[in-house]
Amino acid sequence: SGEPSISIAAMMQGSGHVVGIDLAAASLQVARERTGARRLTNTEFLQVDVQQLPFADCTFDRVVSRLGVMFFFDLETALRQMHRVLKPGGRTSHLAWGSMQQPYFQSTIGTVLKLLPDLSVPASAKAMFKFGEPGVFAAALERAGFTKVEERVQKVAWNWPGTPEELWAYFQDVTIPFKPVLQAIPADRPDIHRAVLDALRACSDGQQVNFGAEIVLASASR
């Protein structure tokens, strides 16, 4: 699939109960709709700040997050909170973006920056790729008190099941960290949008836009 529409941290208890959390109410509603459609009855979703988890110590067996950890305002506090709510021996696992130098971002925002060289990547967007440097994620987990830390880079298929036009519209709508760059595209520069679409079409097979992606996988134990 393309970039996920939700980045919910999920915490699992031994009973098989899953608690999903996010700050965004819209993301939680999408999650509720998806689990409802699948008739899953062991889930609940709460609007919660990961830096202030309202759960007792040693509550969960697993804490996982898919493309969420890059956006934690206070990473150390968030990881320490995860450590706190895990049971002894419990495991946390995370997926994060690697380097920005990969097709999904180079075809989209990279094309814009090439044509508008006076613009630069905002700090909020750079934070998305902070784990692309080897060892950064592992060190953060260790500082938070985790042990048996593992980190690796994995190359995967990252495909958009639709047209280049749909993908570019989606990117502009949801990729908030790059909003300052996107909003700076002059109204009289339709060539920029055409260039992005040309780059995306070069990756399209007519059915979907095919990318390879570089992601960072990290896990650790309490």
Side-chain angles (χ1 to χ4, degrees), residues 97-107 129 211-215:
W97 280 111
S99 166
M100 183 176 164
Q101 306 304 315
Q102 49 187 304
Y104 179 53
F105 295 103
Q106 292 307 303
S107 299
F129 310 103
F211 296 120
E214 183 180 275
I215 59 172

Side-chain angles (χ1 to χ4, degrees), residues 2 5 23 77-78 90 103 119 130 143 151 155 157-158 179 190 209 212 214:
S5 59
L23 276 176
T77 296
L119 299 180
K130 58 177 172 284
R143 287 195 301 272
E151 176 192 319
K155 292 186 177 180
W158 192 264
K179 279 294 184 185
V209 184
E214 183 180 275

Side-chain angles (χ1 to χ4, degrees), residues 177-199:
F178 284 111
K179 279 294 184 185
V181 174
L182 297 170
Q183 291 171 345
I185 298 175
D188 61 352
R189 292 293 306 273
D191 59 300
I192 294 175
H193 296 280
R194 287 197 298 267
V196 171
L197 291 173
D198 285 344

